[in-house]
C-alpha cells in the first residue's frame, strides 16, 4: 500500500520549514517588540503625521501631472513587456524543443536577474535622462518577469486541447492561438495587469533616471518629512493601483462569464 | 440556405481596438517615446564604454568576502520575509477567491456578505502592497530600530499583499469545475481547496511563490533604507557609482541565484505533478 | 532603551556609499569604545530619513548628520537633539558645481540642461545649492530640462563623468577627496562654480542620552589631535583638521535657507 | 422526504430558458429515470435537484428542506446528503483514483480528516470496496489521467457510492461504458438505492436501460415534463414524440426498444427512508 | 491507401501494455466499427491511427505513409488529412462554437488565415453548414461552456466534418446523444464517408448501431483484435466473449441486440479514394 505523499516530499517540506526557521534564528529578529505598547504608540504617532493629506491646489496639480506621467510610463513599459514576454514564453515553455527552451529560459533569467536599477542606468546612457529611459528599463526587466510567469502558466495548462489541434495538422502558432490561449488568457491577463500595478509603484528607479512621476515625488516628500504631501501621493498611487486591480477583477470575471 | 448571422462580437471588438489605439498616442507622447534615440552615436558610445567597464569583474579578496557575507544575509532575509508574507497571503488569498465562495452557489440571500467580504479583502491587500515599502520601513524603524528586523517586516507586509492577490487570481483562473462539484456535495471551502483547486493550481502557486522569493533576494530598496545590508544594497551602490567591475560580480551572483530559484521551482512543480 | 546603557548605537546619513561610511568609521568607533568604555555599534543605511527617524525615536544614540538633516532632527525631537561637535571645515563648508560639458561656463548656461543633485535631504548636495541657484535667479523645477537625484555625492560625479547629466553639484570635501584619489578625470570634469560658505555636518546625540556620556563623547572628539600619530588616521579618514564644539544656533542659517527654498514647512 | 418541485423555472445567465414550470413529486425511496433529447434540460434539472443551480421561479423542497431558504450551515449539511454523478467527471487529471473517491466524504468529514487524508489516504479500504463493485479495484493508486473514458466515469460513480447520499442523482452515469458494463452498473445503482432505501434519479440516453431497470420514467422535452409514468405504461408513440423535436430525425433507433408494454423488472423497494 | 498495422504494440508511460501485436489492414473507403469493453484499448488504437501516439513495436502505414518515419513537414501534412473525434471533446471552455469548428481546417489554412479568422470568423457559413447537419446551426456564436453534453459532442463532430479528412476517426462519437440523434449521427457519418469515398473508423459502445450501420466490425479485447468480421457474420457468442472480460458481468444487456445474423443495411460504398 502506497502512502499519499512520498518520503522525498515530506523531506522537502521539512527542509523548507527548517530553512525558514533557520533564517529567523540567523537574523535574531525580536518580533515580540511588535506587540508592545510602545510599538502601538509609535505606529499611531507615525500614521498621525500623514493625516490630513495635503490638498493645496498647486500641489494637487503637480500630483495630477506626475500621475499622468506615471500612467504613461507604466502602461507603455507593461505593453512592451507583454509583447516581449509572450514571444519568449512560447519557446521557454518547451513548445519548440528542449534546446529553444533552455535558450529562451536563459534569456528570461538574464533579463530578470538584472534589477530595474541597473537597466535604468544602462538605458539612461542609451537614451538619455527622461521618461523614455524609465520606460525601457521597466520594460526590459518586466519582460523577464512576465516571460517566466507566462511560460510557467503555459506549462501548467492541460495539453489535450492543443494536442487535438496539432493532431489536425495545425502548426504550433495556430495550435497555440486556438487551443492554448483561451485556456491561459485569464491567467496571463491577471499577471500582465498585476505587473502594470507593480510598475506604477516602481518608485525609486524612475526618480533615479529623472523620469519624475509619482515615485520620485513620493521619495522626495518622504526625504523632506513632508508627510502630508507624501500622503497625497500615496493616495494617488493607491487609487491608480486599486483601479487597475478592479479592472483586472472585472475583466476576468467577464471572461469567465 | 439562409444568411449566416454576422458575428455579434465583431463590432464591440472593433470599437475597443480603435479606442485603445486612440488612447495610445497621447501616452507615447507623455513618455517621450523616441526609439531612434537608441541609435544615437554618442549614446551608443557611452553605453559601450560603460559595459566595457564590466570587465574585468571585481574579484579582490575583500570584495568577495563582502559579497559572501551579503549573500548569506540576503538569503536569510528573503526566506524570513517570504515566510512572514505567507502568513498574511494564504488566508487573505483564500478569502478573496470567488471559486471557493459557498455563497455564490449557496443561499443567494447572503451572497452580498460574501461579495462585501471579498471586496474588503481585496482593498486590504491593495493597501498592504500599495503603501510603499519605504513607508512601512520607516514605520518599523520606529519599533525595531535600524536593522534587518524592520526591513524583513516591511518586505513581509508588502509581499504579503502581493502574494495574497496573486494567489487569489491564480485560484480563480484555474478550472473551477472540480471545486464547484465538491462544494455542491457539501464539502467545506478548505477541503474543496485541497481536493479541487490545488491539484489544478498547485504548480502555478509554487512557481509564483518561488519567483517572489527570488524578488526578495533582489529587493534592494527597503533593505538598504534601514541598514539591513545584503546584495541589493551592494548592487545599488556599485551601480550608482557606475563601478562596472563590482556590478558585474554582483550581477553574476544574482544570475546564479535566479538560476537556482528557477531550478527549485521546476523541481517542486515536477514533484507536484 | 534599557540595553542602551552599555551599547552606543551610531549611524550616519548616507551622503557617501554605506560601505565607504563603514570603512571610515571603523577606527573612530574603536577610539570611542576606548574613550567611553561602551561598546559602539555602527549601522550604515541608504536613506537619510531613516537616520532621522531612528534618532527621533531613540533607536540610535548618536548620528553623523548634515546641516539640513540636523534641522530636521531638531524639529522632530522638539528641539531636544544636541549637536556635540563638528569639524573645523564644517564651519565654512561649500558646494561645487561641476560639468563635463564644454558649453557650460556659468549658471546662465544651465537653462534647459539636465542636472543632478545628491539626495533630496542633503545639505551640500541639494538644499544649499538649490538656495544659491534661487539667488542666481534659477528655479531647478522650471529652468532645467530634467532633474535627477543621484542619492550621494560620489554618485553625482559618476553621473556627470559618464554624461548621464550635463551638470551636477556636490560638496567640496568629497570632491577634493575624489580628486586626490584620482577617482575623477580633471580633464573631463571641471568645477564651474562654487557656493558661498555655510555651516554643515556635525555629530548629534539624542537629547535624553546620559549627560555624562555626552560629555565623554565631546571630550573624546575634542581630544583628537592630528599631531598624535594614533589619531592621524582617524582624522584623515574623517577629512578633519580638528574637531570643534558646535551649537544648535549655528544652523539657524540653514533653517532659513530651507524655508526659503521651500524644503521645510 | 424525497423531493418536490412546484412550478420550477430556470433561465441561464445568457437568457436561455432551460426549465419551465416543472412540477414533480418524488417520494422517498423511489427510483426514477429521466429521458429526453439532447439539450432538453436533464442536466439542468438534476443540478437543480442537487441544490447547485437556483431556480428563478417556483418552489423546491429537497429531503424536506427548501435549500434556498435555509441557512448556509443547513444548506451545507443538506448538500452533503445529496450526491450527483456529473455528466463529464470533474476530476483533476493528475489526482489519484483513491483521492478522487475519498473526496466523496468531504462533506461529512471534519477538516482535519480531509487534510490528513491527502497526506495519507485514511480509508483506502472503503474506496477500494466501491471501486471493486465497478470492477476497478486494482486501479486504486493510478492517476486519473491514465484511465480510459469508461474507467474515469466509474471513478466518478465510485465517489458518489462512497458518499452514501440520501438522494442519489446520476447524470448519464453509463454513457462511456460498454453494454455489459452499463447493464451491471445501472443494476448496481438500483440495487444500492433499494438496499439503502434512498431516492435515485438518473438521466439515461439508453431508453431500454431506463425502461428495464427503473419503476418510474420521466420524459423531459424543451425544459418541461412531457410524461411521467410507470415504466410499464410508456408507449412507443410517447418516446417518438419525446425525441421528435430534433427536426427530421429518423426513428430507426427506437426500433430496437423492447416492446414498450412489457412491465419493468424491478422488485418494489423496501422503504427504509433516511 | 487506407491504413495497415503490422504487429503493432504500445506500452503506456506507466508500463501498461495497452496494445499488443495488432495486425489490421483497412482499405480505402472502408467503414469499420470498433467494439470492445471499457479499457480494451479502443481509444489507444484510434490515437495510434491518428498518428498521435507512437507504437513501440510493429509497422504502421497511414494513407500510404509511415508517420514515424516521415519528416516533420510530411507528418504535419499527413495529420491534416486525418481527423479524430475525441472521446471527451478537448475544447477550451470559453471558446465560441464557430471558432472551435473552424479550427478543423487549421492544418490546411495558411497561417495568416488562421490568425485572421480568430479576429473575424472567415467562414462562418461553412461552420454553420456542418453544425446544421447535426441540428445545432443556431448555436454558432455561443460559448462552448454554455452547451449541454450532447451539444458539445456535436461541436467536436462538426469540427472534424468541417476538416473533411481522408481518414475519418471517431471515438465514441455518440456517447452523449439520445437514441434518435445517435442514429441520425452515425448514419450521417457513414453517408459522409461513402459520399466522399474516405475511410471511416468509429469506436462504439452501442453494438446495435455498429452492426446496423457499418459493413465491418472489429472486436478489441485486452489490446488485441478478438474478431474482425463483416457485420453480418458477428455472432452473439463472440460478443459475449468480447465483453466477458469484466469479471462476472451479467449478459442481460446483450439480449437487446438485434439478431446478430441480420446483415448490415449499408449499401456498398462507391470507391472514390482521395
Ligand atoms: N451555463 C449555461 N448557460 C447557458 N445555457 C446553458 C447552460 N447550460 C446549459 N444550457 C442550455 O440549456 C439547455 C439544456 O441543457 P442541459 O445541459 O440541461 O441539457 P441536457 O438535457 O442535459 O442535454 P444532453 O443530453 O445533451 O446532456 C441546452 O440547450 C443548453 O444549451
Ligand atoms: N496515458 C495512459 N497511461 C497509462 N495507461 C493508460 C493511459 N491511457 C490509457 N491507459 C490504459 O490503457 C488501457 C486502454 O485504454 P483505452 O483508453 O484505450 O481504453 P478504451 O478501450 O478506449 O476504453 P473506454 O471504452 O473505457 O474508453 C486502459 O486500461 C487504460 O487504463
Ligand atoms: Mg446533459
Ligand atoms: Mg476510450
Amino acid at each position: 500500500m502506497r502512502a499519499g505523499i512520498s518520503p522525498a516530499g515530506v523531506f522537502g517540506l521539512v527542509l523548507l520549514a527548517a530553512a525558514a526557521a533557520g533564517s529567523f534564528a540567523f537574523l535574531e529578529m525580536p518580533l515580540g517588540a511588535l506587540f508592545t505598547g510602545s510599538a502601538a504608540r509609535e505606529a499611531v504617532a507615525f500614521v498621525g503625521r500623514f493625516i490630513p493629506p495635503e490638498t493645496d491646489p498647486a500641489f494637487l496639480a503637480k500630483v495630477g501631472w506626475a500621475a499622468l506621467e506615471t500612467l504613461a510610463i507604466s502602461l507603455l513599459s507593461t505593453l512592451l513587456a507583454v509583447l516581449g514576454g509572450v514571444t519568449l514564453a512560447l519557446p521557454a515553455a518547451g513548445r519548440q524543443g528542449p534546446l529553444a527552451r533552455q535558450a529562451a529560459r536563459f534569456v528570461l533569467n538574464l533579463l530578470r536577474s538584472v534589477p530595474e536599477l541597473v537597466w535604468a542606468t544602462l538605458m539612461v546612457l542609451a537614451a538619455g535622462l527622461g521618461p523614455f529611459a524609465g520606460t525601457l528599463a521597466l520594460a526590459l526587466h518586466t519582460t523577464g518577469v512576465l516571460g517566466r510567469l507566462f511560460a510557467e502558466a503555459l506549462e501548467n495548462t492541460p495539453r489535450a486541447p492543443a494536442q487535438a489541434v496539432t493532431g489536425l495538422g495545425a502548426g504550433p502558432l495556430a495550435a497555440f492561438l486556438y487551443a492554448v490561449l483561451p485556456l491561459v488568457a485569464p491567467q496571463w491577463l491577471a499577471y500582465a495587469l498585476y505587473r502594470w500595478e507593480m510598475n506604477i509603484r516602481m518608485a525609486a528607479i524612475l526618480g533615479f533616471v529623472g523620469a519624475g512621476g509619482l515615485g520620485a515625488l513620493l521619495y522626495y516628500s518622504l526625504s523632506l518629512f513632508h508627510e502630508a504631501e507624501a500622503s497625497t501621493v500615496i493616495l494617488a498611487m493607491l487609487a491608480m493601483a486599486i483601479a487597475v486591480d478592479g479592472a483586472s477583477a472585472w475583466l476576468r470575471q467577464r471572461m469567465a462569464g | 440556405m439562409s444568411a449566416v448571422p454576422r458575428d455579434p462580437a465583431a463590432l464591440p471588438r472593433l470599437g475597443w481596438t480603435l479606442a485603445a489605439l486612440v488612447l495610445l498616442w497621447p501616452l507615447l507622447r507623455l513618455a517621450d517615446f523616441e526609439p531612434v534615440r537608441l541609435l544615437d552615436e554618442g549614446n551608443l558610445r557611452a553605453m559601450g564604454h560603460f559595459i566595457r567597464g564590466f570587465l574585468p569583474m571585481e574579484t579582490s579578496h575583500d570584495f568577495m568576502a563582502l559579497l559572501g557575507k551579503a549573500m548569506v544575509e540576503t538569503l536569510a532575509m528573503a526566506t524570513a520575509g517570504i515566510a512572514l508574507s505567507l502568513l498574511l497571503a494564504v488566508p487573505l488569498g483564500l478569502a478573496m477567491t470567488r471559486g471557493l465562495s459557498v455563497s455564490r452557489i449557496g443561499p443567494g440571500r447572503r451572497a452580498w456578505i460574501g461579495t462585501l467580504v471579498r471586496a474588503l479583502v481585496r482593498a486590504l491587500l491593495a493597501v498592504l502592497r500599495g503603501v510603499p515599502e519605504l513607508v512601512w520601513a520607516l514605520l518599523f524603524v520606529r519599533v525595531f530600530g535600524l536593522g534587518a528586523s524592520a526591513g524583513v517586516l516591511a518586505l513581509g507586509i508588502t509581499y504579503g499583499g502581493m502574494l495574497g492577490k496573486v494567489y487569489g487570481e491564480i485560484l480563480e483562473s484555474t478550472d473551477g469545475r472540480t471545486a464547484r462539484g465538491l462544494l455542491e456535495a457539501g464539502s467545506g471551502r478548505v477541503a474543496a481547496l485541497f481536493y479541487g483547486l490545488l491539484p489544478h493550481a498547485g504548480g502555478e502557486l509554487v512557481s509564483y511563490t518561488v519567483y517572489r522569493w527570488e524578488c526578495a533576494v533582489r529587493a534592494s530598496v527597503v533593505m538598504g533604507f534601514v541598514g539591513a545590508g545584503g546584495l541589493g544594497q551592494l548592487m545599488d551602490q556599485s551601480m550608482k557609482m557606475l563601478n562596472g567591475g563590482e556590478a558585474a560580480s554582483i550581477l553574476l551572483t544574482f544570475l546564479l541565484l535566479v538560476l537556482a530559484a528557477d531550478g527549485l521551482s521546476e523541481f517542486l512543480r515536477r514533484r507536484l505533478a | 532603551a534599557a540595553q542602551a546603557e552599555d551599547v552606543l548605537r551610531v549611524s550616519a546619513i548616507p551622503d557617501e556609499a554605506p560601505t565607504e561610511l563603514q570603512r571610515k568609521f571603523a577606527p573612530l568607533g574603536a577610539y570611542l569604545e576606548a574613550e567611553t568604555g561602551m561598546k559602539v555599534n555602527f549601522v550604515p543605511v541608504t536613506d537619510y530619513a531613516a537616520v532621522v527617524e531612528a534618532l527621533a525615536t531613540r533607536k540610535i544614540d548618536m548620528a553623523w548628520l548634515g546641516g539640513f538633516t540636523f534641522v530636521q532632527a531638531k524639529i522632530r525631537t522638539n528641539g531636544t537633539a544636541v549637536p556635540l561637535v563638528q569639524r573645523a571645515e564644517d564651519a565654512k563648508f561649500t558646494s561645487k558645481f561641476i560639468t563635463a560639458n564644454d558649453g557650460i561656463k556659468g549658471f546662465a548656461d544651465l537653462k534647459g540642461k539636465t542636472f543632478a543633485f545628491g539626495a533630496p535631504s542633503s545639505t551640500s548636495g541639494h538644499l544649499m545649492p538649490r538656495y544659491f541657484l534661487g539667488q542666481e535667479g534659477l528655479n531647478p523645477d522650471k529652468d532645467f530640462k530634467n532633474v535627477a537625484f543621484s542619492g550621494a555625492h560620489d554618485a553625482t560625479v559618476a553621473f556627470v563623468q559618464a554624461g548621464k547629466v550635463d551638470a551636477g553639484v556636490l560638496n567640496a570635501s568629497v570632491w577634493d577627496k575624489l580628486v586626490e584619489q584620482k577617482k575623477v578625470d580633471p580633464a573631463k570634469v571641471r568645477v564651474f562654480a562654487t557656493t558661498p560658505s555655510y555651516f554643515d555636518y556635525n555629530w548629534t546625540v539624542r537629547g535624553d542620552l546620559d549627560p555624562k556620556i555626552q560629555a565623554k563623547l565631546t571630550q573624546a572628539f575634542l581630544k583628537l589631535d592630528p599631531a598624535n600619530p594614533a589619531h592621524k588616521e582617524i582624522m584623515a579618514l574623517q577629512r578633519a583638521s580638528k574637531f570643534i564644539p558646535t551649537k544648535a544656533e549655528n544652523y539657524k542659517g540653514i533653517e532659513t535657507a530651507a524655508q526659503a527654498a521651500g524644503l521645510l514647512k | 422526504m424525497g423531493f418536490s418541485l412546484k412550478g420550477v423555472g430556470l433561465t441561464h445567465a445568457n437568457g436561455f430558458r432551460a426549465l419551465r414550470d416543472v412540477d414533480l413529486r418524488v417520494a422517498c425511496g423511489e427510483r426514477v429515470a429521466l429521458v429526453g433529447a439532447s439539450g432538453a434540460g436533464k442536466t439542468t434539472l438534476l443540478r437543480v435537484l442537487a441544490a447547485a443551480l437556483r431556480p428563478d421561479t417556483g418552489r423546491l423542497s429537497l429531503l424536506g428542506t427548501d435549500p434556498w431558504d435555509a441557512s448556509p450551515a443547513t444548506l451545507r449539511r443538506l448538500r452533503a446528503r445529496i450526491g450527483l454523478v456529473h455528466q463529464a467527471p470533474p476530476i483533476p487529471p493528475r489526482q489519484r483514483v483513491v483521492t478522487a473517491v475519498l473526496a466523496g466524504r468531504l462533506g461529512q468529514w471534519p477538516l482535519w480528516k480531509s487534510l490528513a487524508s491527502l497526506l495519507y489516504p485514511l480509508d483506502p479500504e472503503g474506496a477500494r470496496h466501491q471501486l471493486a463493485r465497478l470492477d476497478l479495484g486494482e486501479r486504486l493508486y493510478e492517476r486519473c489521467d491514465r484511465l480510459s473514458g469508461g474507467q474515469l466515469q466509474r471513478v466518478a460513480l465510485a465517489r458518489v457510492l462512497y458518499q452514501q447520499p440520501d438522494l442519489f442523482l446520476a447524470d448519464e452515469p453509463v454513457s462511456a461504458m460498454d453494454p455489459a458494463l452499463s447493464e451491471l452498473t445501472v443494476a448496481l445503482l438500483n440495487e444500492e438505492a433499494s438496499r439503502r432505501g434512498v431516492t435515485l434519479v438518473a438521466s439515461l440516453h439508453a431508453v431500454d436501460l431506463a425502461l428495464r431497470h427503473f419503476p418510474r420514467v420521466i420524459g423531459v422535452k424543451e425544459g418541461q415534463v412531457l410524461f411521467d409514468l410507470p415504466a410499464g405504461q410508456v408507449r412507443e408513440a410517447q418516446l417518438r414524440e419525446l425525441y421528435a423535436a430534433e427536426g427530421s430525425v429518423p426513428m430507426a433507433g427506437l426500433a430496437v426498444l423492447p416492446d414498450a408494454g412489457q412491465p419493468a423488472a424491478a422488485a418494489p423497494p423496501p422503504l427504509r427512508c433516511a
Side-chain angles (χ1 to χ4, degrees), chain A, chain B, chain C, chain D:
Chain A
M1 197 126 290
R2 279 168 49 197
I5 184 168
S6 62
V10 174
F11 180 70
L13 284 178
V14 170
L15 213 65
L16 285 180
S23 301
F24 280 108
F26 175 81
L27 294 171
E28 299 172 3
M29 290 178 54
L31 285 183
L34 207 52
F35 305 102
T36 56
S38 79
R41 267 198 312 284
E42 292 288 3
V44 170
F46 181 75
V47 174
R49 305 184 60 95
F50 286 81
I51 301 169
E54 175 70 62
T55 50
D56 170 41
F59 185 70
L60 285 184
K62 209 160 143 188
V63 171
W65 181 250
L68 267 184
E69 202 175 1
T70 303
L71 183 76
I73 296 174
S74 59
L75 184 57
L76 283 180
S77 58
T78 312
L79 280 179
L80 288 176
V82 167
L83 292 181
V86 172
T87 318
L88 284 166
L90 294 183
R95 277 165 205 264
Q96 264 99 60
L99 204 72
R101 175 170 194 267
Q102 289 309 327
R105 288 209 154 224
F106 185 78
V107 173
L108 288 176
N109 285 332
L110 196 70
L111 284 173
R112 201 165 79 240
S113 61
V114 176
E116 288 98 334
L117 180 72
V118 179
W119 283 126
T121 307
L122 279 170
M123 288 305 115
V124 165
L125 293 177
L129 214 58
F132 183 47
T135 309
L136 288 179
L138 286 183
L140 281 165
H141 181 82
T142 310
T143 298
V145 175
L146 283 184
R148 172 200 144 123
L149 292 177
F150 284 179
E152 305 224 322
L154 269 184
E155 288 188 358
N156 292 331
T157 307
R159 305 214 151 212
Q163 276 162 358
V165 177
T166 28
L168 298 170
L173 185 59
F176 165 75
L177 288 173
Y178 277 76
V180 183
L181 193 61
L183 293 172
V184 292
Q187 189 56 47
W188 280 16
L189 185 70
Y191 279 143
L193 288 172
Y194 167 66
R195 257 339 273 199
W196 180 18
E197 201 192 310
M198 296 279 291
N199 281 344
I200 287 176
R201 270 197 295 274
M202 284 322 306
I205 290 96
L206 296 183
F208 183 76
V209 299
L214 288 176
L217 206 56
L218 175 77
Y219 182 59
Y220 189 74
S221 352
L222 278 178
S223 296
L224 299 176
F225 293 101
H226 297 166
E227 282 96 348
E229 288 182 358
S231 168
T232 309
V233 180
I234 293 175
L235 286 178
M237 283 167 92
L238 262 181
M240 285 172 76
I242 288 180
V244 174
D245 189 44
S248 162
W250 176 77
L251 263 179
R252 281 161 353 91
Q253 206 162 320
R254 239 182 69 126
M255 278 175 106
Chain B
M1 203 84 232
S2 64
V4 176
R6 242 215 329 261
D7 184 353
L11 215 60
R13 215 174 259 177
L14 187 69
W16 284 110
T17 312
L18 288 180
L21 286 180
V22 167
L23 269 175
L24 197 63
W25 177 242
L27 289 179
L28 288 173
R29 295 308 308 272
L30 261 175
D32 227 355
F33 202 83
E34 289 169 37
V36 280
R37 286 226 298 270
L38 291 175
L39 301 177
D40 179 89
E41 201 187 332
N43 287 341
L44 283 178
R45 204 164 337 107
M47 193 164 75
H49 182 260
F50 176 65
I51 290 181
R52 263 199 306 284
F54 275 30
L55 292 174
M57 286 202 297
E58 174 75 49
T59 50
S60 70
H61 189 75
D62 283 356
F63 183 73
M64 291 320 267
L66 200 66
L67 195 64
K69 179 166 161 285
M71 192 162 121
V72 174
E73 283 173 0
T74 301
L75 291 181
M77 289 187 297
T79 311
I82 290 292
L84 281 182
S85 69
L86 285 179
L87 292 183
L88 274 174
V90 171
L92 291 178
L94 289 189
M96 201 181 96
T97 308
R98 279 172 82 240
L100 283 177
S101 155
V102 184
S103 65
R104 210 159 54 94
I105 48 170
R109 66 201 163 85
R110 299 276 177 76
W112 66 270
I113 298 186
T115 311
L116 185 72
V117 167
R118 279 194 296 280
L120 285 180
V121 168
R122 250 201 128 84
L124 173 64
L125 287 170
V127 170
L128 287 182
R129 65 182 190 274
V131 171
E133 289 166 320
L134 176 56
V135 176
W136 288 118
L138 290 176
L139 175 68
F140 289 118
V141 162
R142 290 176 150 243
V143 177
F144 295 108
L146 297 173
S149 300
V152 168
L153 235 65
L155 196 79
I157 286 202
T158 31
Y159 279 30
M162 296 174 191
L163 279 176
K165 172 196 161 117
V166 174
Y167 283 175
E169 301 213 320
I170 288 177
L171 290 179
E172 257 173 43
S173 306
T174 42
D175 186 347
R177 283 173 294 189
T178 317
R180 187 168 169 138
L182 291 171
L183 289 175
E184 284 171 14
S187 109
R189 43 189 300 148
V190 178
L193 166 79
F194 276 94
Y195 282 76
L197 280 184
L198 285 193
H200 292 293
E204 194 73 32
L205 294 174
V206 163
S207 122
Y208 194 81
T209 312
V210 174
Y211 160 67
R212 263 291 132 205
W213 178 81
E214 183 195 303
C215 287
V217 166
R218 273 193 306 269
S220 50
V221 188
V222 251
M223 292 308 177
F225 281 157
V226 295
L231 283 178
Q233 186 181 338
L234 217 57
M235 180 81 223
D236 262 22
Q237 196 177 294
S238 307
M239 220 49 215
K240 278 187 184 156
M241 304 308 154
L242 300 180
N243 185 338
E246 280 182 24
S249 296
I250 306 172
L251 278 181
L252 194 67
T253 317
F254 274 149
L255 186 62
L256 292 179
L257 284 175
V258 165
L259 288 177
D262 223 37
L264 178 71
S265 163
E266 193 154 344
F267 168 78
L268 286 176
R269 282 188 307 133
R270 197 152 289 159
R271 282 233 64 98
L272 273 184
Chain C
Q3 100 281 25
E5 290 320 308
D6 42 354
V7 181
L8 190 72
R9 296 159 305 172
V10 184
S11 188
I13 54 167
D15 63 330
E16 285 181 84
T19 37
E20 172 72 8
L21 292 174
Q22 197 156 20
R23 184 178 72 85
K24 269 166 58 175
F25 184 78
L28 178 62
Y31 170 74
L32 291 179
E33 273 188 358
E35 288 293 314
T36 59
M38 294 170 79
K39 191 169 157 26
V40 175
N41 232 345
F42 183 78
V43 188
V45 301
T46 59
D47 186 50
Y48 282 67
V51 182
V52 175
E53 196 65 50
L55 192 71
T57 50
R58 300 185 302 280
K59 297 297 176 190
I60 53 174
D61 305 305
M62 181 167 82
W64 168 246
L65 297 180
F68 181 43
T69 21
F70 167 72
V71 172
Q72 289 177 327
K74 199 186 76 180
I75 294 172
R76 268 184 107 70
T77 54
N78 298 320
T80 62
V82 184
L84 296 181
V85 295
Q86 64 183 179
R87 302 173 301 191
E89 290 78 357
D90 294 324
K92 40 183 190 337
F93 212 72
T94 55
S95 302
K96 308 269 189 198
F97 287 87
I98 57 169
T99 180
N101 182 333
D102 294 334
I104 296 177
K105 304 267 188 291
F107 287 124
D109 303 323
L110 285 179
K111 269 205 178 159
K113 295 288 193 308
T114 53
F115 190 86
F117 288 112
S121 24
S122 167
T123 315
S124 47
H126 180 213
L127 166 63
M128 294 318 278
R130 179 183 280 266
Y131 176 63
F132 290 121
L133 281 172
Q135 300 202 323
E136 294 288 334
L138 281 172
N139 179 346
D141 298 330
K142 298 218 171 73
D143 295 330
F144 294 161
K145 180 166 167 232
N146 236 317
V147 171
F149 287 95
S150 74
H153 297 291
D154 31 13
T156 306
V157 176
F159 271 40
V160 172
Q161 182 157 319
K164 261 170 88 166
V165 288
D166 293 318
V169 63
L170 79 161
N171 84 29
S173 158
V174 175
W175 171 254
D176 292 342
K177 180 183 87 177
L178 291 175
V179 171
E180 255 169 54
Q181 297 177 345
K182 303 221 173 357
K183 290 255 177 75
V184 342
D185 180 359
K188 263 170 95 181
V189 184
R190 63 198 162 75
V191 176
F192 68 91
T194 303
T195 61
S197 70
Y198 50 88
F199 271 95
D200 206 347
Y201 298 92
N202 64 35
W203 281 102
T204 298
V205 292
R206 59 186 170 91
D208 49 358
L209 186 69
D210 183 353
K212 275 191 285 212
I213 302 178
Q214 291 193 22
K216 264 195 210 163
L217 283 168
T218 313
Q219 274 315 307
F221 276 112
L222 296 181
K223 250 177 26 196
L224 282 169
D225 177 6
N228 178 340
H231 294 171
K232 194 167 171 352
E233 190 205 350
I234 299 175
M235 305 287 283
L237 280 175
Q238 297 292 319
R239 302 194 63 76
S241 54
K242 70 181 225 198
F243 280 91
I244 56 174
T246 187
K247 52 185 190 296
E249 288 72 57
N250 288 348
Y251 296 92
K252 271 274 175 277
I254 298 237
E255 200 168 336
T256 319
Q259 240 127 24
L263 301 190
L264 212 57
K265 297 227 157 142
Chain D
M1 281 249 296
F3 59 86
S4 71
L5 280 66
K6 210 156 169 44
V8 163
L10 189 139
T11 306
H12 279 295
N14 64 348
F16 189 93
R17 258 187 98 50
L19 290 182
R20 24 187 124 194
D21 202 28
V22 174
D23 286 326
L24 210 58
R25 169 175 290 277
V26 170
C28 176
E30 269 197 279
R31 289 171 292 122
V32 182
L34 287 182
V35 295
S38 174
K42 303 179 295 297
T43 299
T44 309
L45 180 57
L46 283 168
R47 289 172 57 89
V48 166
L49 293 180
L53 282 180
R54 177 177 193 161
D56 345 277
T57 60
R59 295 198 48 78
L60 175 67
S61 158
L62 302 174
L63 301 173
T65 348
D66 178 343
W68 305 107
D69 228 19
S71 72
T74 316
L75 179 56
R76 203 184 138 186
R77 271 195 305 278
L78 175 66
R79 284 187 173 137
R81 292 175 59 203
I82 305 179
L84 169 63
V85 184
H86 291 254
Q87 187 165 11
I91 294 178
R94 284 187 290 262
Q95 199 163 59
R96 293 190 306 161
V97 169
V98 61
T99 318
V101 174
L102 292 181
R105 289 264 170 94
L106 287 183
Q108 290 144 51
W109 281 354
L111 183 59
W112 69 264
K113 198 165 170 188
S114 316
L115 297 187
S117 186
L118 268 186
L119 295 178
Y120 190 89
L122 287 190
D123 185 17
E125 198 38 66
R128 212 248 286 268
H129 170 64
Q130 301 299 347
L131 287 165
R133 295 171 76 185
L134 295 159
D135 200 30
L136 210 61
E138 77 289 4
R139 291 302 182 99
L140 195 57
Y141 292 111
E142 188 76 85
R143 270 169 46 161
C144 287
D145 55 358
R146 304 229 164 104
L147 297 179
S148 80
Q151 289 165 342
L152 188 64
Q153 196 168 40
R154 281 181 273 167
V155 172
L157 257 168
R159 167 192 287 192
V160 179
L161 284 173
Y162 183 68
Q163 182 186 352
Q164 305 216 317
D166 294 339
L167 175 53
F168 200 127
L169 308 171
D171 196 1
E172 312 282 354
V174 296
S175 61
M177 300 185 198
D178 62 71
L181 192 57
S182 301
E183 194 71 31
L184 165 92
T185 307
V186 173
L188 174 77
L189 288 182
N190 275 279
E191 185 267 330
E192 169 90 2
S194 313
R195 193 176 48 75
R196 296 190 46 244
V198 302
T199 316
L200 169 67
V201 183
S203 75
L204 285 171
H205 278 317
V207 182
D208 59 314
L209 282 178
L211 292 178
R212 265 185 297 109
H213 288 277
F214 289 81
R216 180 174 169 189
V217 176
I218 296 177
V220 181
K221 183 173 177 177
E222 288 170 9
Q224 284 173 308
V225 173
L226 181 71
F227 61 79
D228 178 356
L229 294 168
Q233 294 171 26
V234 179
R235 298 279 164 270
E236 192 173 328
Q238 284 162 325
L239 292 175
R240 221 173 267 282
E241 188 189 345
L242 187 66
Y243 294 120
E246 305 281 325
S248 57
V249 175
M251 284 289 98
L254 296 180
V256 208
L257 293 177
D259 176 18
Q262 171 194 324
L271 266 189
R272 282 179 302 156
C273 265

